[in-house]
């Protein structure tokens, strides 16, 4: 990766170790191991080892330092695992320890389950604990909109998020910790979005 003036920021060195494993090392402009910052909320070590599933999707990601020792990411875990459907959509994403056991990370949950409908115009998000059972996302790091157990997300004809509805694990109406039951996304012709929040009585909430 380079800056606008073509100065090197970091380089990536992939090594394919067998048919379903690759180890990627990240180096800074001087050639030294460089910890990576994916965004403001997520950083990890200078080496990642990726295990691919039979379809070629990332199924296990191990995080390491420049010496090859395990290194926790900003979520506090050194391994992440993913399961996909035959369309390549994530069905299950979990935080794991070095031997692959599901663990609660510093967001306060272990993983997320995604359930899609056949028409592909909605999907449900369910937060999971270390037993992979539904749980409410705590407010430690999550925003006011995300402290739910389950959230049904409906999409408009353009595939954009149109409405989010909070439920419990049994499909009953529920709210976030801040009392949000429903979120509606309104789009203008040029794609600008405005957001409205509603409680269980369908009254607007100011956020």
């Amino acid at each position: 990766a380079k800056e606008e003036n073509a100065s090197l920021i970091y380089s990536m060195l992939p090594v394919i170790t067998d048919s379903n494993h690759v180890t990627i090392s990240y180096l800074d402009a001087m050639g030294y191991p460089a910890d990576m910052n994916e965004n403001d909320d997520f950083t990890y070590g200078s080496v990642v080892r990726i295990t691919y599933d039979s379809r070629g999707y990332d199924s296990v990601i191990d995080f390491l330092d420049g010496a090859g020792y395990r290194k926790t990411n900003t979520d506090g875990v050194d391994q992440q695992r993913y399961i996909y459907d035959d369309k390549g959509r994530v069905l299950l994403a979990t935080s794991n320890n070095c031997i692959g056991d599901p663990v609660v990370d510093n967001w306060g949950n272990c993983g997320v389950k995604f359930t899609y409908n056949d028409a592909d115009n909605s999907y449900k998000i369910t937060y999971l604990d270390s037993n992979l059972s539904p749980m409410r996302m705590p407010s430690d790091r999550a925003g006011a909109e995300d402290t739910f157990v389950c959230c049904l997300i409906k999409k408009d004809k353009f595939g954009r998020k149109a409405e989010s509805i909070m439920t419990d694990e049994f499909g009953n109406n529920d709210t976030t910790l801040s009392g949000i039951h429903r979120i509606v996304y309104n789009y203008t012709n040029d794609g600008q979005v405005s957001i409205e929040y509603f409680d269980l009585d369908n009254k607007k909430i100011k956020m």
Side-chain angles (χ1 to χ4, degrees):
K2 295 183 177 181
E3 300 201 37
E4 291 183 1
N5 62 3
S7 298
L8 183 68
I9 303 173
Y10 72 89
S11 58
M12 182 181 74
L13 178 64
V15 176
I16 300 174
T17 55
D18 56 45
S19 60
N20 67 327
H21 290 93
V22 61
T23 299
I24 301 173
S25 301
Y26 296 96
L27 308 174
D28 64 18
M30 299 299 292
Y32 294 110
D35 286 356
M36 298 306 298
N37 299 309
E38 186 171 299
N39 53 51
D40 291 340
D41 290 326
F42 191 69
T43 62
Y44 51 92
S46 58
V47 178
V48 296
R49 178 171 168 80
I50 300 173
T51 302
Y52 298 106
D53 66 14
S54 59
R55 298 187 183 96
Y57 300 121
D58 300 358
S59 63
V60 181
I61 300 177
D62 292 290
F63 301 97
L64 310 165
D65 64 16
Y69 295 105
R70 305 194 74 86
K71 180 180 176 66
T72 56
N73 58 27
T74 43
D75 292 347
V77 295
D78 54 22
Q79 186 183 100
Q80 292 177 327
R81 294 187 171 225
Y82 300 90
I83 296 175
Y84 304 82
D85 66 11
D86 56 8
K87 295 182 179 180
R89 300 174 299 191
V90 175
L91 295 175
L92 180 66
T94 57
S95 294
N96 302 79
N97 61 21
C98 62
I99 59 174
D101 295 329
V103 294
V104 172
D105 59 31
N106 58 30
W107 282 89
N109 72 315
C110 169
V112 186
K113 181 175 71 173
F114 298 89
T115 307
Y116 307 89
N117 73 337
D118 291 337
D120 198 27
N121 58 12
S122 70
Y123 60 95
K124 184 172 73 172
I125 299 172
T126 304
Y127 288 120
L128 304 174
D129 62 19
S130 58
N131 294 314
L132 302 186
S133 297
M135 62 161 284
R136 179 176 299 280
M137 172 66 85
S139 58
D140 299 345
R141 291 181 64 186
E145 299 179 9
D146 298 317
T147 54
F148 54 80
V149 180
C150 300
C151 178
L152 175 64
I153 297 177
K154 297 181 178 181
K155 299 187 287 187
D156 65 15
K157 63 181 180 180
F158 300 108
R160 301 174 300 191
K161 187 185 293 186
E163 187 178 18
S164 298
I165 302 172
M166 315 307 163
T167 71
D168 63 16
E169 63 266 43
F170 306 109
N172 301 310
N173 287 339
D174 198 12
T175 69
T176 66
L177 290 176
S178 54
I180 301 170
H181 167 58
R182 191 166 62 96
I183 306 173
V184 176
Y185 305 85
N186 302 301
Y187 299 90
T188 62
N189 290 335
D190 59 357
Q192 300 296 313
V193 60
S194 61
I195 302 175
E196 297 176 303
Y197 301 90
F198 298 87
D199 64 15
L200 276 173
D201 297 320
N202 206 35
K203 295 178 180 178
K204 282 189 179 181
I205 303 173
K206 289 185 178 181
M207 299 298 297

